[in-house]
Amino acid sequence: MVVFSENIFSSYVKNPNLFNNKGALLHSFVPEKISYRDREIMRLSSILAPVLRGFQTNNVFIYGTCGTGKTICSKFVLNQLEEMGSNNGRAIKTIYINCKMKRVADTEYRLFAQLLRELGVAVPDTGLPTDVLYRSFFEKVDEKEQAVVIMLDEIDYLFKKVGDTFLYNLTRINEELKKARLNIIGITNDLGMRDGLDMRVKSSLGEEELLFRPYNAAELKDILRKRAEAGFMPGVVSECVLSKCAALAAQEHGDARRALDLLRVAGEIAERRGDMEILEEHVDLAEQSIDMDKVIETMRSQPKHSQAVLLSIIKLSETMKKKSSWVDKRVLTGDVFNVYTSICEENCIKTLTQRRLGDLITELDMLGIINARVISKGRYGRTREISLAINEAVLEKTKKFLVERFGY
DNA sequence: AGTCCACAGGAAGGGCAGGCGA
DNA sequence: TCGCCTGCCCTTCCTGTGGACT
């Protein structure tokens, strides 16, 4: 039996506390002032302002790469709108839904169920016809004079999965409402999504468009400095640490989320080590740790078949690396299916069909864990060429998790 | 130019879990 | 409780595809 000489939490209590307000370093935190996005905020607020006078406003489509402030600016504007509405006696309800949340809003049924839950209506996970949810949502929204603003984040994910009927239905609800008004803000990283929309949806939802450009390194550094002042104790973060986080995030198309994650995780690592301030080496360690956690957490939540497919791809990639240079080293769907089948057999798991495996490969591709590209090998058929989209360190940890899971 | 391969991916339907109303 | 309905996950069946080969 292990005997502890002192309380197991004593080192945690003894270590210096570097954080002042950790919440200020999270993505979900909405600061009082958002830098370098004045133009976008003014534009969005001017589009939504007529809501305060009880008028219908245009729907908005917001584009921009990851971490360019789309979500935070939209939330900021909606908070202000709601606040002004309550000061002026206008009923304004804002709803934020992330369409990428698996089993929350990744089908039309789940989206309407989630919208109803946000309005305080209990909805079962399954069993009801979608048009019943659709009708309940319509009735709930229209039961009083109010403006409902729905913000659909990562809308491209739902669009790719189920098409644009949910958008069509939402815009149709809007046309039929008598007392209430409904506004939709669609947020997406996919600049090409608009082209795939039905003409009616396009004209209705894309009435207004806003593009968020990426932050540059100097802007990222300034944003980080402000968050660090709120989030850390004085003297914990140096200028060179801020520069390093900003530079690393700027390399990833000006992703402010990435910069914030780097700084927060570096702080956690420094605190755990008992250091008094954050050093550049903490940022390096944070960089590895973030990628690792993201991929492993994602895979942990995936069904076992998806996990087995990824393990097959990892095993095949390793085998291909060892092959001599003149041999075809590409990982193809058929090979993945063969390895996947043997993993399933060894683990007494019923194998899925190759058709279904194709869908799982598509899902892993959408999650950014692999890259899958349809290629033609001429006389030798059409297939998908698959490669891993994660770095060596993350790959090792992910492999370890999957090998422990399947013992393969 | 026509054939062929190895899938991609759409459509339809089955099984299952869960809700609803009689 | 039971029959019927639904969404979801999966299989089966099918057509389409694009470039190497003949």
Side-chain angles (χ1 to χ4, degrees):
Chain A
M1 192 176 84
V2 183
V3 179
F4 295 99
S5 57
E6 54 182 335
N7 188 295
I8 54 171
F9 292 107
S10 56
S11 64
Y12 178 80
V13 175
K14 277 181 202 162
N15 278 355
N17 177 22
L18 305 188
F19 291 96
N20 175 33
N21 171 20
K22 216 180 213 179
L25 299 160
L26 297 173
H27 310 151
S28 51
F29 180 77
V30 182
E32 283 179 17
K33 167 96 179 71
I34 298 172
S35 309
Y36 307 106
R37 286 292 176 252
D38 297 347
R39 201 178 57 85
E40 289 81 1
I41 289 173
M42 289 311 294
R43 171 92 196 283
L44 184 58
S45 57
S46 68
I47 294 168
L48 295 174
V51 168
L52 292 162
R53 296 211 168 118
F55 299 129
Q56 176 67 49
T57 71
N58 291 335
N59 295 317
V60 195
F61 226 123
I62 299 177
Y63 300 94
T65 51
C66 196
T68 48
K70 303 180 299 292
T71 306
I72 200 172
C73 289
S74 309
K75 279 186 174 175
F76 175 78
V77 171
L78 291 192
N79 286 350
Q80 298 259 309
L81 183 72
E82 221 169 24
E83 188 187 315
M84 188 54 81
S86 68
N87 291 343
N88 289 284
R90 290 265 171 210
I92 300 174
K93 170 77 182 165
T94 62
I95 302 173
Y96 171 82
I97 289 182
N98 187 334
C99 302
K100 208 173 178 177
M101 292 280 280
K102 213 165 164 73
R103 298 182 200 281
V104 174
D106 60 348
T107 65
E108 188 175 8
Y109 180 93
R110 285 169 179 164
L111 172 69
F112 276 97
Q114 192 59 24
L115 285 170
L116 277 163
R117 287 184 196 118
E118 291 284 344
L119 293 170
V121 181
V123 188
D125 289 340
T126 176
L128 298 178
T130 308
D131 60 304
V132 168
L133 297 196
Y134 175 79
R135 209 164 37 246
S136 321
F137 177 69
F138 175 86
E139 283 163 7
K140 184 69 188 171
V141 168
D142 211 26
E143 73 182 8
K144 61 179 178 186
E145 216 169 277
Q146 63 173 339
V148 177
V149 185
I150 303 172
M151 182 155 75
L152 298 174
D153 205 353
E154 313 248 23
I155 197 171
D156 50 303
Y157 193 84
L158 187 53
F159 168 65
K160 276 178 199 154
K161 210 173 164 200
V162 301
D164 59 4
T165 45
F166 73 97
L167 284 171
Y168 178 66
N169 287 338
L170 275 173
T171 51
R172 237 185 58 200
I173 285 179
N174 204 13
E175 288 161 15
E176 290 166 14
L177 290 169
K178 291 189 172 61
K179 293 184 198 159
R181 294 167 312 284
L182 187 69
N183 282 93
I184 304 158
I185 301 177
I187 302 178
T188 173
N189 301 333
D190 181 1
L191 276 79
M193 179 185 159
R194 194 176 186 279
D195 302 331
L197 292 172
D198 181 275
M199 278 307 287
R200 287 166 299 184
V201 178
K202 201 186 283 184
S203 64
S204 173
L205 189 66
E207 289 164 331
E208 300 275 359
E209 292 183 338
L210 257 174
L211 181 69
F212 279 61
R213 62 169 177 81
Y215 296 109
N216 61 37
E219 290 169 346
L220 283 171
K221 189 177 172 185
D222 191 44
I223 292 167
L224 276 185
R225 187 183 294 113
K226 284 176 183 137
R227 292 285 191 109
E229 280 166 10
F232 289 103
M233 293 294 192
V236 169
V237 187
S238 63
E239 279 295 306
C240 62
V241 164
L242 289 179
S243 299
K244 178 149 191 166
C245 292
L248 286 171
Q251 283 170 18
E252 303 225 356
H253 46 255
D255 185 344
R257 284 188 191 196
R258 175 84 177 169
L260 266 179
D261 283 341
L262 283 168
L263 189 61
R264 190 191 67 251
V265 176
E268 287 168 355
I269 291 169
E271 192 176 70
R272 243 174 277 148
R273 290 180 159 198
D275 295 330
M276 296 298 287
E277 62 172 324
I278 302 173
L279 305 171
E280 287 191 52
E281 61 171 287
H282 296 141
V283 179
D284 292 331
L285 291 169
E287 197 186 10
Q288 288 176 24
S289 159
I290 290 167
D291 292 339
M292 220 168 279
D293 292 351
K294 206 164 72 185
V295 174
I296 292 173
E297 276 317 301
T298 306
M299 284 318 295
R300 221 184 276 277
S301 64
Q302 292 300 304
K304 62 175 182 283
H305 290 287
S306 287
Q307 295 175 351
V309 171
L310 182 60
L311 181 58
S312 313
I313 295 167
I314 292 174
K315 289 277 174 190
L316 274 167
S317 304
E318 284 176 349
T319 315
M320 296 301 171
K321 259 190 203 167
K322 288 176 197 156
K323 282 191 175 176
S324 48
S325 57
W326 50 271
V327 178
D328 190 352
K329 286 184 169 184
R330 292 178 293 185
V331 176
L332 308 173
T333 306
D335 305 328
V336 175
F337 184 65
N338 292 337
V339 178
Y340 159 79
T341 306
S342 51
I343 290 176
C344 287
E345 278 168 3
E346 282 198 19
N347 286 273
C348 304
I349 301 168
K350 189 177 173 290
T351 49
L352 299 178
T353 57
Q354 188 157 340
R355 172 70 187 85
R356 180 68 189 134
L357 180 118
D359 289 340
L360 296 182
I361 289 174
T362 305
E363 283 176 24
L364 287 173
D365 186 19
M366 282 172 78
L367 287 167
I369 293 170
I370 60 167
N371 292 317
R373 180 171 74 94
V374 178
I375 55 157
S376 175
K377 299 205 302 164
R379 201 185 187 318
Y380 304 102
R382 238 162 66 102
T383 181
R384 266 188 291 190
E385 186 187 61
I386 303 158
S387 59
L388 291 159
I390 48 183
N391 67 41
E392 280 297 321
V394 181
L395 177 62
E396 268 312 303
K397 200 97 184 252
T398 311
K399 188 181 140 192
K400 189 165 171 263
F401 159 69
L402 293 172
V403 168
E404 277 169 14
R405 173 91 173 73
F406 294 101
Y408 188 77

